[in-house]
Amino acid sequence: MRDSIRLKDYYRENLLFSRRAYALIIAVVIFMILLMSRMIYLQIIQNDFYSTMSLNNRVRLVPIPPTRGLIYDRNGILLAENLPTFGIDLIVERTPDLEQTLEELADIIHIRPQDLEKFHRLRKRTKPFDPVPLRLRLSEEEVAKFASNRHLFPAAELTATLTRHYPFGALTAHVLGYVGRLDEYDLKKVDTKQYSGTRHIGKIGIERFYESHLHGSVGHQQIETNARGRIQRVLKRTPPEPGKNLHLALDINLQQKAMSLLKDQRGSLVAMEPFSGEVFTLVSMPTYDPNLFVNGIDQQSFDALNQSIDRPLFNRAIRGQYPPGSTIKPMLGLAALDNEIIARDYKVYDPGWYQLKNDDHKYRDWRRGGHGWVDYEKAIVESCDTYYYDISLRMGIDTIGRFLHEFGFGQPTQIDMGSEASGLLPSREWKYAFRNEPWFPGETLITGIGQGFFLATPLQLAYATSIVASQGHRTNPHLLRATSDHTSNNLDLVNHATKPPLSLKNPANWQLTTQAMVAVITHIRGTANSIADGLSYSLAGKTGTAQVFGIEQGERYEKDKVAVRLRDHALFVAFAPAEKPQIAVALIVENGGSGGQVAAPIIRDFLDFYFTEKSHADI
Amino acid sequence: MQTFDYLDHTTTSPIFERIVKRMHLDLPLLLALVLLCGIGLIALYSASGQNINVIEAQLKRLSVGFIAMLFAAQIPPRFYQFSAPWLFSIGLGLLAAVLVIGDINKGAQRWISVGGFSFQPSELMKLFVPLMVAWYFSDRPLPPRPLETLVATILIVVPVFLVARQPDLGTALLIGSSGFAVLWLAGLRIRTTFYLILTASACAPLFWMLMKDYQRQRVLTLLNPESDPLGTGYHIIQSKIAIGSGGLYGKGWLNGTQSHLEFLPERSTDFIFAVFSEEFGLFGIIFLMAIYLFIIIRGMQIAIHSQDGFTRLLVGGLIFIFFVYAFVNMGMVSGLLPVVGLPLPLVSYGGTSLVTLLIGFGMLMSAHTHRRLLSS
């Protein structure tokens, strides 16, 4: 078989070939159909999916941050603005020789080694056609120099960004607070979409409290980019909505006056309109420059502020908790009258001390020899401690607590600033919960003169005083009067929460107390009689001198300084005019000494200024 | 078989038809090829970012290719048959040489330089392997006996192995498939075919071990391109996005965002099909595939009509190469097959494969037209 000759059978071979060829054609057609189904799958069934992918590939949404709202004082004076600051960006691909360009630029603008280092670090992460920041916050001189040499640097671009600026600086720091760089902690609290283009956020104060008003809403730019991220064209633009402007009740002139009166002293002054609750002045001294914080404060400056023994960053007006001392005596007197513990003609004999039954301890009056027979008015005018020991004991801590609570003590005033301290209005429950001890009668006595556990913020004192001034009218203290948007000058007035008025069983007790407070100044033996000379308006006030606790701290280190810091706090609360109050004010001067001698004269100057200003304004 | 005859009588004028015939060309095939190249130029204009220089360069290559085709068509099939063993031997020698002295380019050793002129010997083998196998079977009675099958298999496997060593998987695949297409057309027993496929599958793990890392990566990428969207999977993902977002009607010529915004890599060369699909949609693809199918069927028809064993086997092998080219390219661009780096025949930008393909078509036309002249 092996050697047998196979003949070619042309007919059979033709047939074989044709069959094989047709089989091949069928195979080809099958493969083509397979390919076709793949295309149908991709282009018809999966079309939506891939169209979206294609769109996501090329279209990028670039956020345009809104312009932050401005803040004005009550007279329309700008307190917070957005100033353009200039910087220089480099687009690396436009430079033929980067090093040379940098050298030439260094002749015109000041480039520090750390700027260069940062530039080179950023450059590695940036595409060559995207700008890389080289310098921020150019001086005016640098801007001018660069502008005139601009043609020499095709790769450099002058960038303008709006930066928050507080023209009054330290004057408004404790009211407005400041904005700072948006950090990860902030991003957890805000709608990240809205803040996608924003770099700054209100960190504290009004800036933080009204962040949602001030921020505005983000705009967008739809841009088409290629695979390397280079922008091809802008497809659509939705402009951002600028933030609302805020119009505060704050009067910058009063603020300035209060600050200059406190000068180098530590303390706080809060003034407000008693009926509306509008806060005119909110000063905490010492203070700081908020502009330092806007673009990040350097460590050295921050440490200086943060570690200062005077604590300039601490907002004493809303967070400082002080024993209110005798300033609460008018409210406490009203409590005794209204609860019918005492009558208007109730009298106490003061030998210079008070003693509880079965107790040897003598609770001393501030005057060694005592005030003799003391009635309701004299107790306020001369600030008699013994009288208040007596009526406090009669009322008991529960009644005191209930009534003083109505004046806003022991709770935040809800001022529109946030991070407010609530003070401490002591009670049996509080003491049991926090000290695990029962309440002792002696503690009721010292509560009655605003000492002991009792703590209040200057704002709480101003609020309580304004309740007395307005005879029970209660509106939460607030700074915001109105808002406006960028398009119109119309002010949208803001309504603030009011509480039902505090009504007394006998409203005449308001007048009685006010009279006594007027006599504090006018009466020859009044504790603030020193400021009575030449008073052109009727002034009702109450002095306070609070003993300082917590002596132990720092005693070993700076003996002479500690001695100063052991002195009493000087307090004064007041309202004027007494018969139709327009302003209520509370002042505390830390370690100032006597309220009548230190705090009252400051208030006198402050109110003189207020009424002079007002009369000018009225004309 | 008579039913296919109408294809020979086109509606063009008799004079034109006569000229075409005198030039040993097949008019339907020629028209289909020109149409395909035209579509290629349209797609290339878009893919290159409307770069007229690229179009000019491609036109130059096409001219060279068509002249080479014309030239190849003038040579009678008898000459190809006569010189087949010599050409094959020279090709094999060059393939061996390229492994020793070849230039290394992009990690692969494919090129050989002779007097300042460099070319890829593997490119030649696309023509020489089917030529050689067709020659081997031309005088032997068919179907082949087992020993003859073994010899033919060795004739195919040796160059395939050499090309795969370069490494050039795509070309190895083309050469192998064209050789086996000839073997199949020669009447390889169905059972033997089955065994061969079985053996090839059994060798797959061995093949896997011989592969370079990047080749393995390509296969893995095919199975799950999303596993590495920015690395090796990027080509496939972007190309699928291009095709899929084209939809039924496409985004319109010059409006393909995937290609114009440079998301699509290799858009002028291997991935031009994705550009075409994005801009012309499913309708465009149907049209393009219809042309490919027409060329393949026309080629097979010419093969069936050939009277002697050598030409029909040669024509069958050549046309099958063309099919594998088109199928593998479209398959890889649409994510059905791994990325092996084969261009879309006559559409992709690029020189050597274009010229080789057109020479192949020249040989095919020569086989067809010389037969007709003799018979009439």
Side-chain angles (χ1 to χ4, degrees), chain B residues 36-65:
Chain B
L36 194 57
C37 293
I39 290 174
L41 287 172
I42 289 169
L44 186 60
Y45 184 65
S46 176
S48 65
Q50 298 159 49
N51 186 345
I52 203 73
N53 294 332
V54 170
I55 298 299
E56 264 176 35
Q58 180 77 347
L59 270 173
K60 267 181 208 160
R61 288 206 183 98
L62 281 173
S63 316
V64 170

PDB file of all heavy atoms in Angstrom, chain B residues 36-65:
ATOM      1  N   LEU B  36     -12.661  50.307   1.404  1.00  0.00           N
ATOM      2  CA  LEU B  36     -12.166  50.067   2.762  1.00  0.00           C
ATOM      3  C   LEU B  36     -11.061  51.064   3.123  1.00  0.00           C
ATOM      4  O   LEU B  36     -11.061  51.655   4.201  1.00  0.00           O
ATOM      5  CB  LEU B  36     -11.652  48.633   2.855  1.00  0.00           C
ATOM      6  CG  LEU B  36     -11.407  48.082   4.248  1.00  0.00           C
ATOM      7  CD1 LEU B  36     -12.677  48.156   5.072  1.00  0.00           C
ATOM      8  CD2 LEU B  36     -10.928  46.641   4.151  1.00  0.00           C
ATOM      9  N   CYS B  37     -10.135  51.261   2.169  1.00  0.00           N
ATOM     10  CA  CYS B  37      -9.043  52.210   2.422  1.00  0.00           C
ATOM     11  C   CYS B  37      -9.589  53.629   2.568  1.00  0.00           C
ATOM     12  O   CYS B  37      -9.077  54.424   3.369  1.00  0.00           O
ATOM     13  CB  CYS B  37      -8.011  52.173   1.291  1.00  0.00           C
ATOM     14  SG  CYS B  37      -7.147  50.604   1.238  1.00  0.00           S
ATOM     15  N   GLY B  38     -10.645  53.947   1.801  1.00  0.00           N
ATOM     16  CA  GLY B  38     -11.279  55.265   1.908  1.00  0.00           C
ATOM     17  C   GLY B  38     -11.861  55.472   3.300  1.00  0.00           C
ATOM     18  O   GLY B  38     -11.655  56.514   3.937  1.00  0.00           O
ATOM     19  N   ILE B  39     -12.586  54.461   3.775  1.00  0.00           N
ATOM     20  CA  ILE B  39     -13.140  54.537   5.138  1.00  0.00           C
ATOM     21  C   ILE B  39     -12.006  54.710   6.139  1.00  0.00           C
ATOM     22  O   ILE B  39     -12.089  55.501   7.082  1.00  0.00           O
ATOM     23  CB  ILE B  39     -13.961  53.266   5.442  1.00  0.00           C
ATOM     24  CG1 ILE B  39     -15.238  53.263   4.625  1.00  0.00           C
ATOM     25  CG2 ILE B  39     -14.281  53.174   6.930  1.00  0.00           C
ATOM     26  CD1 ILE B  39     -16.046  51.993   4.744  1.00  0.00           C
ATOM     27  N   GLY B  40     -10.927  53.969   5.885  1.00  0.00           N
ATOM     28  CA  GLY B  40      -9.761  54.067   6.751  1.00  0.00           C
ATOM     29  C   GLY B  40      -9.234  55.492   6.814  1.00  0.00           C
ATOM     30  O   GLY B  40      -8.924  56.001   7.888  1.00  0.00           O
ATOM     31  N   LEU B  41      -9.159  56.159   5.661  1.00  0.00           N
ATOM     32  CA  LEU B  41      -8.643  57.533   5.626  1.00  0.00           C
ATOM     33  C   LEU B  41      -9.568  58.486   6.378  1.00  0.00           C
ATOM     34  O   LEU B  41      -9.116  59.385   7.098  1.00  0.00           O
ATOM     35  CB  LEU B  41      -8.476  57.995   4.176  1.00  0.00           C
ATOM     36  CG  LEU B  41      -7.297  57.374   3.430  1.00  0.00           C
ATOM     37  CD1 LEU B  41      -7.341  57.758   1.962  1.00  0.00           C
ATOM     38  CD2 LEU B  41      -5.971  57.813   4.048  1.00  0.00           C
ATOM     39  N   ILE B  42     -10.880  58.266   6.220  1.00  0.00           N
ATOM     40  CA  ILE B  42     -11.858  59.115   6.923  1.00  0.00           C
ATOM     41  C   ILE B  42     -11.690  58.953   8.429  1.00  0.00           C
ATOM     42  O   ILE B  42     -11.627  59.932   9.184  1.00  0.00           O
ATOM     43  CB  ILE B  42     -13.294  58.738   6.478  1.00  0.00           C
ATOM     44  CG1 ILE B  42     -13.530  59.208   5.044  1.00  0.00           C
ATOM     45  CG2 ILE B  42     -14.327  59.353   7.415  1.00  0.00           C
ATOM     46  CD1 ILE B  42     -14.802  58.673   4.422  1.00  0.00           C
ATOM     47  N   ALA B  43     -11.595  57.697   8.877  1.00  0.00           N
ATOM     48  CA  ALA B  43     -11.429  57.446  10.313  1.00  0.00           C
ATOM     49  C   ALA B  43     -10.092  57.985  10.803  1.00  0.00           C
ATOM     50  O   ALA B  43      -9.990  58.551  11.890  1.00  0.00           O
ATOM     51  CB  ALA B  43     -11.538  55.948  10.594  1.00  0.00           C
ATOM     52  N   LEU B  44      -9.066  57.841   9.957  1.00  0.00           N
ATOM     53  CA  LEU B  44      -7.722  58.285  10.347  1.00  0.00           C
ATOM     54  C   LEU B  44      -7.658  59.807  10.483  1.00  0.00           C
ATOM     55  O   LEU B  44      -7.003  60.336  11.385  1.00  0.00           O
ATOM     56  CB  LEU B  44      -6.714  57.801   9.300  1.00  0.00           C
ATOM     57  CG  LEU B  44      -5.243  58.048   9.632  1.00  0.00           C
ATOM     58  CD1 LEU B  44      -4.880  57.344  10.917  1.00  0.00           C
ATOM     59  CD2 LEU B  44      -4.362  57.571   8.499  1.00  0.00           C
ATOM     60  N   TYR B  45      -8.382  60.499   9.591  1.00  0.00           N
ATOM     61  CA  TYR B  45      -8.396  61.963   9.655  1.00  0.00           C
ATOM     62  C   TYR B  45      -8.937  62.415  11.011  1.00  0.00           C
ATOM     63  O   TYR B  45      -8.406  63.328  11.644  1.00  0.00           O
ATOM     64  CB  TYR B  45      -9.263  62.516   8.520  1.00  0.00           C
ATOM     65  CG  TYR B  45      -9.268  64.021   8.442  1.00  0.00           C
ATOM     66  CD1 TYR B  45      -8.106  64.720   8.147  1.00  0.00           C
ATOM     67  CD2 TYR B  45     -10.441  64.741   8.665  1.00  0.00           C
ATOM     68  CE1 TYR B  45      -8.104  66.095   8.079  1.00  0.00           C
ATOM     69  CE2 TYR B  45     -10.447  66.122   8.600  1.00  0.00           C
ATOM     70  CZ  TYR B  45      -9.270  66.795   8.298  1.00  0.00           C
ATOM     71  OH  TYR B  45      -9.279  68.168   8.235  1.00  0.00           O
ATOM     72  N   SER B  46      -9.977  61.736  11.456  1.00  0.00           N
ATOM     73  CA  SER B  46     -10.549  62.060  12.768  1.00  0.00           C
ATOM     74  C   SER B  46      -9.619  61.629  13.900  1.00  0.00           C
ATOM     75  O   SER B  46      -9.360  62.390  14.826  1.00  0.00           O
ATOM     76  CB  SER B  46     -11.906  61.385  12.902  1.00  0.00           C
ATOM     77  OG  SER B  46     -12.428  61.593  14.174  1.00  0.00           O
ATOM     78  N   ALA B  47      -9.115  60.403  13.803  1.00  0.00           N
ATOM     79  CA  ALA B  47      -8.300  59.848  14.889  1.00  0.00           C
ATOM     80  C   ALA B  47      -7.002  60.621  15.075  1.00  0.00           C
ATOM     81  O   ALA B  47      -6.497  60.756  16.183  1.00  0.00           O
ATOM     82  CB  ALA B  47      -8.007  58.381  14.618  1.00  0.00           C
ATOM     83  N   SER B  48      -6.455  61.157  13.973  1.00  0.00           N
ATOM     84  CA  SER B  48      -5.173  61.846  14.080  1.00  0.00           C
ATOM     85  C   SER B  48      -5.352  63.289  14.536  1.00  0.00           C
ATOM     86  O   SER B  48      -4.391  64.057  14.569  1.00  0.00           O
ATOM     87  CB  SER B  48      -4.470  61.818  12.719  1.00  0.00           C
ATOM     88  OG  SER B  48      -5.217  62.573  11.791  1.00  0.00           O
ATOM     89  N   GLY B  49      -6.585  63.661  14.848  1.00  0.00           N
ATOM     90  CA  GLY B  49      -6.819  65.058  15.230  1.00  0.00           C
ATOM     91  C   GLY B  49      -6.763  65.965  14.011  1.00  0.00           C
ATOM     92  O   GLY B  49      -6.225  67.059  14.047  1.00  0.00           O
ATOM     93  N   GLN B  50      -7.317  65.507  12.919  1.00  0.00           N
ATOM     94  CA  GLN B  50      -7.402  66.251  11.649  1.00  0.00           C
ATOM     95  C   GLN B  50      -6.034  66.702  11.166  1.00  0.00           C
ATOM     96  O   GLN B  50      -5.844  67.829  10.729  1.00  0.00           O
ATOM     97  CB  GLN B  50      -8.367  67.426  11.806  1.00  0.00           C
ATOM     98  CG  GLN B  50      -9.782  66.968  12.133  1.00  0.00           C
ATOM     99  CD  GLN B  50     -10.609  68.057  12.776  1.00  0.00           C
ATOM    100  OE1 GLN B  50     -10.646  69.165  12.293  1.00  0.00           O
ATOM    101  NE2 GLN B  50     -11.271  67.729  13.872  1.00  0.00           N
ATOM    102  N   ASN B  51      -5.113  65.757  11.284  1.00  0.00           N
ATOM    103  CA  ASN B  51      -3.747  66.050  10.861  1.00  0.00           C
ATOM    104  C   ASN B  51      -3.556  65.626   9.410  1.00  0.00           C
ATOM    105  O   ASN B  51      -3.521  64.443   9.083  1.00  0.00           O
ATOM    106  CB  ASN B  51      -2.777  65.295  11.783  1.00  0.00           C
ATOM    107  CG  ASN B  51      -1.344  65.660  11.509  1.00  0.00           C
ATOM    108  OD1 ASN B  51      -1.035  66.259  10.470  1.00  0.00           O
ATOM    109  ND2 ASN B  51      -0.465  65.296  12.421  1.00  0.00           N
ATOM    110  N   ILE B  52      -3.429  66.601   8.539  1.00  0.00           N
ATOM    111  CA  ILE B  52      -3.372  66.304   7.102  1.00  0.00           C
ATOM    112  C   ILE B  52      -2.061  65.606   6.740  1.00  0.00           C
ATOM    113  O   ILE B  52      -1.994  64.839   5.785  1.00  0.00           O
ATOM    114  CB  ILE B  52      -3.613  67.593   6.269  1.00  0.00           C
ATOM    115  CG1 ILE B  52      -4.129  67.237   4.865  1.00  0.00           C
ATOM    116  CG2 ILE B  52      -2.385  68.458   6.221  1.00  0.00           C
ATOM    117  CD1 ILE B  52      -5.575  66.759   4.865  1.00  0.00           C
ATOM    118  N   ASN B  53      -1.034  65.840   7.551  1.00  0.00           N
ATOM    119  CA  ASN B  53       0.255  65.184   7.287  1.00  0.00           C
ATOM    120  C   ASN B  53       0.148  63.671   7.443  1.00  0.00           C
ATOM    121  O   ASN B  53       0.763  62.919   6.692  1.00  0.00           O
ATOM    122  CB  ASN B  53       1.322  65.706   8.255  1.00  0.00           C
ATOM    123  CG  ASN B  53       1.599  67.172   8.001  1.00  0.00           C
ATOM    124  OD1 ASN B  53       1.433  67.652   6.889  1.00  0.00           O
ATOM    125  ND2 ASN B  53       1.993  67.878   9.046  1.00  0.00           N
ATOM    126  N   VAL B  54      -0.634  63.252   8.424  1.00  0.00           N
ATOM    127  CA  VAL B  54      -0.829  61.823   8.647  1.00  0.00           C
ATOM    128  C   VAL B  54      -1.556  61.212   7.452  1.00  0.00           C
ATOM    129  O   VAL B  54      -1.208  60.130   6.967  1.00  0.00           O
ATOM    130  CB  VAL B  54      -1.626  61.598   9.953  1.00  0.00           C
ATOM    131  CG1 VAL B  54      -2.061  60.152  10.093  1.00  0.00           C
ATOM    132  CG2 VAL B  54      -0.801  62.017  11.156  1.00  0.00           C
ATOM    133  N   ILE B  55      -2.552  61.942   6.957  1.00  0.00           N
ATOM    134  CA  ILE B  55      -3.306  61.452   5.795  1.00  0.00           C
ATOM    135  C   ILE B  55      -2.377  61.328   4.588  1.00  0.00           C
ATOM    136  O   ILE B  55      -2.410  60.335   3.854  1.00  0.00           O
ATOM    137  CB  ILE B  55      -4.476  62.426   5.477  1.00  0.00           C
ATOM    138  CG1 ILE B  55      -5.439  62.475   6.658  1.00  0.00           C
ATOM    139  CG2 ILE B  55      -5.207  62.013   4.204  1.00  0.00           C
ATOM    140  CD1 ILE B  55      -6.091  61.162   7.009  1.00  0.00           C
ATOM    141  N   GLU B  56      -1.535  62.335   4.411  1.00  0.00           N
ATOM    142  CA  GLU B  56      -0.585  62.290   3.288  1.00  0.00           C
ATOM    143  C   GLU B  56       0.329  61.085   3.391  1.00  0.00           C
ATOM    144  O   GLU B  56       0.545  60.360   2.404  1.00  0.00           O
ATOM    145  CB  GLU B  56       0.264  63.571   3.281  1.00  0.00           C
ATOM    146  CG  GLU B  56      -0.286  64.616   2.342  1.00  0.00           C
ATOM    147  CD  GLU B  56       0.513  65.921   2.432  1.00  0.00           C
ATOM    148  OE1 GLU B  56       1.746  65.836   2.642  1.00  0.00           O
ATOM    149  OE2 GLU B  56      -0.102  66.982   2.327  1.00  0.00           O
ATOM    150  N   ALA B  57       0.846  60.871   4.595  1.00  0.00           N
ATOM    151  CA  ALA B  57       1.748  59.735   4.799  1.00  0.00           C
ATOM    152  C   ALA B  57       1.038  58.426   4.501  1.00  0.00           C
ATOM    153  O   ALA B  57       1.587  57.526   3.859  1.00  0.00           O
ATOM    154  CB  ALA B  57       2.294  59.741   6.231  1.00  0.00           C
ATOM    155  N   GLN B  58      -0.218  58.336   4.963  1.00  0.00           N
ATOM    156  CA  GLN B  58      -0.977  57.104   4.741  1.00  0.00           C
ATOM    157  C   GLN B  58      -1.272  56.941   3.252  1.00  0.00           C
ATOM    158  O   GLN B  58      -1.211  55.824   2.730  1.00  0.00           O
ATOM    159  CB  GLN B  58      -2.285  57.159   5.556  1.00  0.00           C
ATOM    160  CG  GLN B  58      -3.177  55.938   5.409  1.00  0.00           C
ATOM    161  CD  GLN B  58      -2.671  54.745   6.223  1.00  0.00           C
ATOM    162  OE1 GLN B  58      -1.542  54.734   6.700  1.00  0.00           O
ATOM    163  NE2 GLN B  58      -3.519  53.741   6.347  1.00  0.00           N
ATOM    164  N   LEU B  59      -1.558  58.049   2.569  1.00  0.00           N
ATOM    165  CA  LEU B  59      -1.823  57.972   1.121  1.00  0.00           C
ATOM    166  C   LEU B  59      -0.582  57.467   0.384  1.00  0.00           C
ATOM    167  O   LEU B  59      -0.683  56.666  -0.545  1.00  0.00           O
ATOM    168  CB  LEU B  59      -2.229  59.350   0.595  1.00  0.00           C
ATOM    169  CG  LEU B  59      -3.729  59.631   0.641  1.00  0.00           C
ATOM    170  CD1 LEU B  59      -4.006  61.082   0.270  1.00  0.00           C
ATOM    171  CD2 LEU B  59      -4.485  58.694  -0.294  1.00  0.00           C
ATOM    172  N   LYS B  60       0.576  57.938   0.819  1.00  0.00           N
ATOM    173  CA  LYS B  60       1.828  57.477   0.205  1.00  0.00           C
ATOM    174  C   LYS B  60       1.971  55.973   0.382  1.00  0.00           C
ATOM    175  O   LYS B  60       2.293  55.245  -0.571  1.00  0.00           O
ATOM    176  CB  LYS B  60       3.017  58.186   0.855  1.00  0.00           C
ATOM    177  CG  LYS B  60       3.442  59.439   0.111  1.00  0.00           C
ATOM    178  CD  LYS B  60       4.633  60.059   0.806  1.00  0.00           C
ATOM    179  CE  LYS B  60       4.661  61.567   0.582  1.00  0.00           C
ATOM    180  NZ  LYS B  60       5.467  62.269   1.577  1.00  0.00           N
ATOM    181  N   ARG B  61       1.713  55.519   1.604  1.00  0.00           N
ATOM    182  CA  ARG B  61       1.829  54.082   1.878  1.00  0.00           C
ATOM    183  C   ARG B  61       0.842  53.292   1.040  1.00  0.00           C
ATOM    184  O   ARG B  61       1.168  52.230   0.507  1.00  0.00           O
ATOM    185  CB  ARG B  61       1.542  53.815   3.349  1.00  0.00           C
ATOM    186  CG  ARG B  61       2.648  54.302   4.242  1.00  0.00           C
ATOM    187  CD  ARG B  61       2.664  53.503   5.523  1.00  0.00           C
ATOM    188  NE  ARG B  61       3.699  54.060   6.390  1.00  0.00           N
ATOM    189  CZ  ARG B  61       3.443  54.910   7.367  1.00  0.00           C
ATOM    190  NH1 ARG B  61       2.201  55.265   7.638  1.00  0.00           N
ATOM    191  NH2 ARG B  61       4.426  55.390   8.092  1.00  0.00           N
ATOM    192  N   LEU B  62      -0.386  53.833   0.939  1.00  0.00           N
ATOM    193  CA  LEU B  62      -1.405  53.143   0.156  1.00  0.00           C
ATOM    194  C   LEU B  62      -0.970  53.045  -1.300  1.00  0.00           C
ATOM    195  O   LEU B  62      -1.142  52.012  -1.954  1.00  0.00           O
ATOM    196  CB  LEU B  62      -2.742  53.883   0.261  1.00  0.00           C
ATOM    197  CG  LEU B  62      -3.525  53.636   1.552  1.00  0.00           C
ATOM    198  CD1 LEU B  62      -4.754  54.543   1.629  1.00  0.00           C
ATOM    199  CD2 LEU B  62      -3.962  52.172   1.651  1.00  0.00           C
ATOM    200  N   SER B  63      -0.361  54.139  -1.816  1.00  0.00           N
ATOM    201  CA  SER B  63       0.107  54.115  -3.206  1.00  0.00           C
ATOM    202  C   SER B  63       1.146  53.021  -3.375  1.00  0.00           C
ATOM    203  O   SER B  63       1.065  52.214  -4.323  1.00  0.00           O
ATOM    204  CB  SER B  63       0.732  55.463  -3.578  1.00  0.00           C
ATOM    205  OG  SER B  63      -0.075  56.493  -3.095  1.00  0.00           O
ATOM    206  N   VAL B  64       2.087  52.990  -2.457  1.00  0.00           N
ATOM    207  CA  VAL B  64       3.113  51.945  -2.527  1.00  0.00           C
ATOM    208  C   VAL B  64       2.458  50.570  -2.489  1.00  0.00           C
ATOM    209  O   VAL B  64       2.763  49.691  -3.296  1.00  0.00           O
ATOM    210  CB  VAL B  64       4.126  52.096  -1.353  1.00  0.00           C
ATOM    211  CG1 VAL B  64       5.046  50.882  -1.271  1.00  0.00           C
ATOM    212  CG2 VAL B  64       4.919  53.371  -1.502  1.00  0.00           C
ATOM    213  N   GLY B  65       1.480  50.436  -1.577  1.00  0.00           N
ATOM    214  CA  GLY B  65       0.790  49.160  -1.416  1.00  0.00           C
ATOM    215  C   GLY B  65       0.057  48.753  -2.683  1.00  0.00           C
ATOM    216  O   GLY B  65       0.159  47.601  -3.137  1.00  0.00           O
TER     217      GLY B  65
END
